[in-house]
Amino acid sequence: RRATHISLISVSFRRNLLGKGVPDSRITLIPVWADPDVVRPLPKEGPFRAQHGLAGRFVILYAGNIGITSCLEDVLGAAILLRDEPDIRFVIVGEGTKKDALQQMARDEGLQNVLFLPYQPREVFPQVMAAADISLVTLNRSSALTSLPSKIYNVMASGRPILAVAPPESEIAQLVRDGHCGLGVPPEQPALLAETIVRAKGDAAHLSAMGERGRALLESHFSRSHCVEMYERMLLSLLPASPS
């Protein structure tokens, strides 16, 4: 009520405030960014793959917070169904409140195709992202309209396609559809997720094209320089007019 202006990162957040009576003139939408000079397309078969025994594998990567919105149970469900596919590996990099339970689930199932790793040093992060054949961005159904995982922009910066496990109505799913930069699977459908992964593995050219489109979209709409310029314009517009 007392704010001069409000900066938002998501269309759904804008919709929420408009529904509460906040005038649109007091709202500016500026997306989260990634820095395309830091996270950039690199060779897939790099040091990270070599270090972790991933050379020649089809890698499905999740890198980020393993929290309550992540619905990674679906991913482990797909891993169970694909346990006999020798070339497919699921790599989950990060920490969070659900990591212990997911690791226990993997142990209980005797999964050999899932690798859990801690957060990696910042200087290694571009290599981690480059190691993926396809990168996961996940969001459970209850968080579809109140959360926007920023990891999607680093995936786009890496030039890798997105595998969005998210409700179709979520902003993530819409971004992937509109940008033609990945594949989408609704939550709570591990069998469909497994099928989608197998199909993707058999179409390297399509994966490459989706990754290239994601990178181009990041550079034009979600780069650090572009979004910082948007912040600058917003802040300058709120300054008192200079006396003539």
Side-chain angles (χ1 to χ4, degrees), residues 106-128:
R107 285 192 295 268
D108 291 344
E109 292 289 341
L111 294 178
Q112 301 299 311
N113 57 349
V114 180
L115 174 64
F116 287 91
L117 294 171
Y119 281 126
Q120 301 295 295
R122 185 174 294 273
E123 61 270 17
V124 176
F125 184 63
Q127 298 173 21
V128 175

Side-chain angles (χ1 to χ4, degrees), residues 28-171:
T28 297
L29 195 159
I30 303 176
V32 177
W33 66 71
D35 191 335
D37 296 326
V38 174
V39 179
R40 59 200 185 280
L42 294 172
K44 184 170 60 177
E45 296 291 348
F48 181 80
R49 277 190 172 232
Q51 180 183 355
H52 297 290
L54 300 170
R57 307 293 191 182
F58 186 82
V59 173
I60 302 100
L61 175 74
Y62 179 91
N65 181 50
I66 306 173
I68 58 174
T69 67
S70 62
C71 69
L72 286 171
E73 294 86 353
D74 293 349
V75 176
L76 290 194
I80 291 168
L81 295 170
L82 297 173
R83 66 167 82 227
D84 295 326
E85 295 283 341
D87 296 334
I88 294 177
R89 290 292 182 273
F90 295 83
V91 180
I92 299 174
V93 181
E95 305 291 344
T97 57
K98 295 180 77 173
K99 185 174 183 178
D100 288 345
L102 291 167
Q103 287 179 305
Q104 187 61 53
M105 180 179 174
R107 285 192 295 268
D108 291 344
E109 292 289 341
L111 294 178
Q112 301 299 311
N113 57 349
V114 180
L115 174 64
F116 287 91
L117 294 171
Y119 281 126
Q120 301 295 295
R122 185 174 294 273
E123 61 270 17
V124 176
F125 184 63
Q127 298 173 21
V128 175
M129 300 303 292
D133 285 280
I134 192 165
S135 278
L136 286 159
V137 180
T138 65
L139 189 63
N140 64 21
R141 199 169 298 281
S142 64
S143 304
L145 301 179
T146 58
S147 181
L148 179 64
S150 59
K151 66 175 63 64
I152 194 169
Y153 302 111
N154 278 316
V155 175
M156 295 164 71
S158 73
R160 298 298 188 264
I162 299 157
L163 179 50
V165 181
E169 68 273 16
S170 67
E171 215 158 323

Side-chain angles (χ1 to χ4, degrees), residues 190-236:
L192 179 57
L193 178 57
E195 292 171 14
T196 300
I197 289 168
V198 171
R199 285 199 304 272
K201 181 177 180 290
D203 197 348
H206 189 207
L207 290 179
S208 179
M210 289 188 292
E212 290 172 3
R213 286 193 289 266
R215 172 73 185 190
L217 185 59
L218 183 282
E219 290 175 335
S220 62
H221 288 81
F222 305 111
S223 71
R224 177 177 177 173
S225 60
H226 176 76
C227 296
V228 168
E229 286 175 5
M230 293 177 72
Y231 271 110
E232 183 178 36
R233 288 197 298 271
M234 177 188 69
L235 293 170
L236 289 173

